[in-house]
Amino acid sequence: MGQSASNDALPLIAGKEPVVASISIVGILFVNCVAAALLMQAAAAKTVDGTQLGRALSEIGLPWASGSGLVRLVALLELCAAVALVVEPTRRAGALLVAALGLSFAVVGLVGAVRGSEEPCGCFGRTEGAPFGPVNIAIGVGLLAVAVGNLAVVDAAANQPAGPVIGAALAALLLSLYANRRWILPIVRPLFPQSDRV
C-alpha cells in the first residue's frame, strides 16, 4: 500500500506507468523557467517599445503585423504563456500557447532568411543586432520543443507548485539583467571603484 501511495505522487509520462526519473521532471521545470524568462523579457521589450520590431516586420513584407496594437497583443500572449507555463493547473494550456508562439517565431525567421532581411529584428528591445533569420528559427524550434515536452509530461510540478514560479522569477531577473547590461553597467560601476594597484 505504501508503494502504491508513493507511485500516485510521481509525475506521469503520458500513456505510461509512473516514472521515477525525477531528472527528466527537473529538466522540464528548468526548461519551463528559462522559456518563461525568455518570454517575459520579450513581452516587456514589446510593451515598452515595439517600434524596431514593427520596422523589421514591414521590411520582410508583413506590414499588417507591424502595428503597435498587434505587437502589444503578441506581448500579452507571451506574458500569458510565461505565467501559464510555470503554474501546474495551466501548464498544458501554456504549452499550447508556447507552441503557437514558437511556430510564429520560426515562420517569421524563415521569411526573414528567405527575403534577405537586413533590418535588426528588435528582439528583446534591442535596436541593433541580427535581422530575422536563423536565431529566430532556433528560438522558435526551441519553444516548440518546450511545448512538446510539457504536453508529454502530466502533473510535472503538482507536488511543488512554488518551485517553478520562483525559478522563473529568478531566471527572468538574470535574463533581464543580462539583456539590459548596456544600461545597467554604467550605473553600477561607480558603486564599486577599483583601487589603484601599487
Side-chain angles (χ1 to χ4, degrees):
M1 180 163 179
Q3 182 67 30
S4 174
S6 66
N7 280 349
D8 291 342
L10 293 174
L12 301 176
I13 301 294
K16 296 188 179 179
E17 293 297 316
V19 176
V20 187
S22 61
I23 293 176
S24 65
I25 301 308
V26 170
I28 286 286
L29 296 178
F30 173 78
V31 167
N32 285 357
C33 290
V34 172
L38 182 80
L39 290 168
M40 282 190 278
Q41 175 65 27
K46 287 180 185 70
T47 303
V48 171
D49 184 10
T51 309
Q52 183 60 41
L53 175 60
R55 281 196 293 264
L57 288 167
S58 291
E59 185 217 12
I60 62 169
L62 301 174
W64 55 269
S66 64
S68 64
L70 188 57
V71 168
R72 290 209 164 91
L73 175 62
V74 171
L76 178 63
L77 293 174
E78 288 171 335
L79 186 59
C80 289
V83 172
L85 197 59
V86 296
V87 180
E88 183 53 42
T90 58
R91 183 178 57 81
R92 291 172 67 81
L96 292 173
L97 191 49
V98 167
L101 288 167
L103 183 61
S104 67
F105 294 168
V107 167
V108 168
L110 185 61
V111 170
V114 168
R115 295 189 177 170
S117 176
E118 294 180 0
E119 186 78 29
C121 72
C123 302
F124 304 109
R126 296 177 58 193
T127 54
E128 74 286 338
F132 288 124
V135 172
N136 305 92
I137 295 170
I139 290 172
V141 169
L143 289 174
L144 283 168
V146 169
V148 169
N150 274 280
L151 293 172
V153 175
V154 181
D155 297 332
N159 298 325
Q160 43 187 331
V165 175
I166 294 168
L170 290 173
L173 174 63
L174 293 174
L175 181 62
S176 183
L177 289 173
Y178 177 76
N180 298 299
R181 65 192 179 281
R182 187 177 61 192
W183 294 285
I184 293 171
L185 287 176
I187 296 169
V188 174
R189 276 192 185 121
L191 300 176
F192 302 99
Q194 295 180 350
S195 58
D196 294 332
R197 293 183 180 178
V198 180

